[in-house]
């Protein structure tokens, strides 16, 4: 990876990536982008437009094996036609996709073509384990292929790598199977089973509508009463939803899930499922038993499977050494910039955790970083 050369009496590596290698062996460049999902690719595209060269001025690192961001891991029955609203990446439209094909394939192929078209040279699989303070005002990004020393960071690591499993008493005694949306591979494995689905978001309702056709019984359990949204999700509603999440992030609170502010879309399939009783919701149970779940009043349901459709949290553990977290548990972000460290930008985080939000955040982060780098020469 690194070619050796002699400089200032020390053996220094001359990098094939970055402009130079510092005393500690870290490759120096302007920007590291972590994550090649919608948010990271949008940022990389806008970096390219400012004239930045991949591998010399910036790198995009991703630990997944293939292009597609988190989409590559979504279950095959989540066809492109079932996806709520995928916005194309900037500069290249996704057109003519077959609605019946899995979204993982459609979007994986689209992202691969996008990376090729704009020469983004995503480096994968590369795991980023930690980002910490480096030398001379630079950050130090520690990865499975060595260290980088950028002047700024765009963190675009999404949420898929951090499924959220709530804890309930008795959970460890359950003799059936427990799995999370992140493990869901389609309805077939639930044939003839009694399944409790926990979670009032879009994933929970989609799992139920698929599983109900083959399962012996399904039960839907949610903490709050689900709100079904009539009519299209217009721009005004979109703006209002984003503003609510934005407000939390500004106050340093952990971002909410988007569905908690947008509600569940009431389409024909959902209407049918409601008529058939598939989406009759039960309140949250109090504990888990060996053979099912139990409510406060002593009622029980026998189950073979508990499917936790309880969402995801931002995958930002590698940023911990920078101490960006507020006492409220979240990272305070203004536009895309971390309030505690102006070199760090979070895209696809909180209010920008949607395909359209990620597009915009990528552009905003690059603009802001450009201004920062112009102000503070290397
Ligand atoms: C089931 C489901 C359906 C959805 N449907 C829609 C929809 O219809 N419309 C919509 O707008 N939004 C949808 N979303 C939200 C959607 O995930 C976002 O809109 C968007 O795709 C997220 O893009 P991203 O780039 O932020 O994250 P991701 O696509 O998750 O990309 C993050 C990338 O970072 C990489 N990464 C993470 N940690 C590290 C690390 N430490 N080191 C190296 N690489 C790392 C991962 O490998 C991944 O490739 C859905 C979400 C889910 C869970």
């Amino acid at each position: 990876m690194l070619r050796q050369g002699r400089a200032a009496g020390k053996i220094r590596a001359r990098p094939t990536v970055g402009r130079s290698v510092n005393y500690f062996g870290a490759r120096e460049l302007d920007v590291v982008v972590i994550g090649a999902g919608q948010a990271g690719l949008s940022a990389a595209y806008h970096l390219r437009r400012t004239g930045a060269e991949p591998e010399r001025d910036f790198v995009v690192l991703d630990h997944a094996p293939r292009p597609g961001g988190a989409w590559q891991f979504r279950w095959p029955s989540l066809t492109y036609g079932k996806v709520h609203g995928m916005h194309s990446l900037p500069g290249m439209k996704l057109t003519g996709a077959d609605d019946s094909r899995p979204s993982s394939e459609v979007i994986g192929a689209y992202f691969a073509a996008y990376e090729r078209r704009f020469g983004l040279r995503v480096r994968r699989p590369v795991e980023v384990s930690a980002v910490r303070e480096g030398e001379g005002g630079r950050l130090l990004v520690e990865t499975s292929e060595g260290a980088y020393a950028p002047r700024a960071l765009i963190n675009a690591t999404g949420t898929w790598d951090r499924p959220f499993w709530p804890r309930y008493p008795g959970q460890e005694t359950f003799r059936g199977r427990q799995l999370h949306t992140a493990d869901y591979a389609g309805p077939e494995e639930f044939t003839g089973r009694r399944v409790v689905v926990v979670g009032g978001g879009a994933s929970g309702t989609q799992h139920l509508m698929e599983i109900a056709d083959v399962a012996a019984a399904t039960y839907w359990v949610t903490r709050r009463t689900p709100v079904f949204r009539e009519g299209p999700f217009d721009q005004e509603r979109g703006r209002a939803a984003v503003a609510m999440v934005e407000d939390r992030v500004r106050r340093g609170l952990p971002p909410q899930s988007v569905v908690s502010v947008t509600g569940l879309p009431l389409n024909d399939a959902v209407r049918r499922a409601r008529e058939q009783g598939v989406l009759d919701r039960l309140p949250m149970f109090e504990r888990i038993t060996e053979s099912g779940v139990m409510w406060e009043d002593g009622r029980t349901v026998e189950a073979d499977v508990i499917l936790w459709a309880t969402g995801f949290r931002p995958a930002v553990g590698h940023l911990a050494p920078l101490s960006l977290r507020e006492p409220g548990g979240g990272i305070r972000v203004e536009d895309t910039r971390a309030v505690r460290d102006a070199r760090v930008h979070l895209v696809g985080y909180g209010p920008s955790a949607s395909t359209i939000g990620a597009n915009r955040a990528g552009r905003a982060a690059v603009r802001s970083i450009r201004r920062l780098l112009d102000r503070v020469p290397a």
Side-chain angles (χ1 to χ4, degrees):
M1 178 78 45
L2 296 177
R3 291 195 296 272
Q4 297 297 309
R6 190 171 281 276
K10 297 227 180 279
I11 297 291
R12 289 275 183 94
R14 198 146 54 81
T16 52
V17 177
R19 292 196 180 122
S20 57
V21 171
N22 71 15
Y23 187 81
F24 302 95
R27 285 161 274 192
E28 292 188 339
L29 30 62
D30 284 339
V31 184
V32 167
V33 180
I34 314 176
Q38 184 99 12
L41 291 185
S42 164
Y45 167 87
H46 288 290
L47 281 166
R48 279 296 255 151
R49 281 182 56 111
T50 65
E53 275 292 321
E55 305 220 325
R56 183 193 66 186
D57 304 316
F58 73 93
V59 280
V60 185
L61 310 174
D62 196 298
H63 66 188
R66 295 177 300 277
W71 291 104
Q72 70 193 274
F73 302 111
R74 293 194 179 133
W75 51 98
S77 50
L78 182 62
T79 55
Y80 188 63
K82 286 189 192 166
V83 160
H84 288 140
M86 157 85 195
H87 283 261
S88 293
L89 284 159
M92 180 176 144
K93 286 248 174 293
L94 197 181
T95 49
D98 176 351
D99 273 1
S100 66
R101 276 179 67 205
S103 54
S104 54
E105 283 176 18
V106 172
I107 298 171
Y110 167 59
F111 279 19
Y114 189 85
E115 290 176 17
R116 276 197 305 276
R117 164 107 173 246
F118 296 105
L120 302 179
R121 298 205 224 151
V122 175
R123 298 176 72 82
R124 61 167 68 83
V126 177
E127 172 76 33
V128 174
S129 48
V131 182
R132 54 183 89 246
E133 190 58 52
E135 293 294 309
R138 287 174 182 266
L139 294 158
L140 183 69
V141 178
E142 295 172 356
T143 83
S144 53
E145 62 163 15
Y148 289 91
R151 300 166 69 202
L153 179 82
I154 298 181
N155 192 81
T157 46
T159 58
W160 187 258
D161 291 278
R162 240 188 107 204
F164 174 63
W165 291 72
R167 292 276 144 229
Y168 280 89
Q171 197 158 4
E172 61 297 338
T173 65
F174 183 60
R175 285 203 300 253
R177 173 162 183 232
Q178 297 187 59
L179 76 165
H180 190 274
T181 293
D183 313 307
Y184 181 77
E188 295 77 18
E189 61 182 312
F190 303 99
T191 306
R193 306 282 168 148
R194 299 160 299 175
V195 186
V196 173
V197 177
V198 185
S203 303
T205 51
Q206 286 185 6
H207 296 331
L208 275 159
M209 291 193 291
E210 291 186 358
I211 293 170
D213 287 340
V214 296
T218 57
Y219 306 92
W220 188 25
V221 180
T222 71
R223 248 177 344 132
R224 279 183 292 256
T225 311
V227 179
F228 289 93
R229 166 169 49 79
E230 285 278 6
F233 191 64
D234 53 27
Q235 278 194 349
E236 201 177 313
R237 280 177 165 180
R239 266 196 290 272
V242 166
M244 280 164 84
V245 182
E246 205 160 36
D247 177 58
R248 283 181 66 86
V249 169
R250 261 209 211 101
R251 288 188 286 137
L253 298 170
Q256 275 162 309
S257 81
V258 179
V259 166
S260 68
V261 285
T262 61
L264 295 160
L266 197 49
N267 56 27
D268 286 347
V270 172
R271 258 188 217 103
R272 247 191 333 272
R274 290 185 85 190
E275 279 159 21
Q276 290 163 356
V278 171
L279 296 179
D280 286 350
R281 166 259 180 188
L282 296 166
M284 201 59 220
F285 47 74
E286 193 201 33
R287 61 179 299 108
I288 298 173
T289 65
E290 283 184 5
S291 57
V293 295
M294 181 187 276
W295 281 264
E296 218 170 18
D297 59 9
R299 268 183 313 149
T300 57
V301 149
E302 299 286 294
D304 307 300
V305 181
I306 302 175
L307 171 52
W308 297 93
T310 38
F312 297 81
R313 297 288 182 264
V316 289
H318 53 284
L319 301 180
L322 294 175
S323 302
L324 302 177
R325 272 193 203 282
E326 301 295 329
I331 297 176
R332 259 179 78 200
V333 173
E334 290 273 356
D335 298 326
T336 58
R337 183 176 46 83
V339 170
R340 286 179 182 242
D341 191 329
R343 297 166 299 178
V344 178
H345 286 254
L346 284 90
V347 296
Y349 178 85
S352 66
S354 68
T355 51
I356 190 168
N359 278 359
R360 290 177 183 153
R363 188 182 56 203
V366 169
R367 275 201 190 143
S368 174
I369 285 176
R370 225 34 294 163
R371 282 198 295 274
L372 174 83
L373 298 187
D374 290 347
R375 238 188 2 254
V376 189

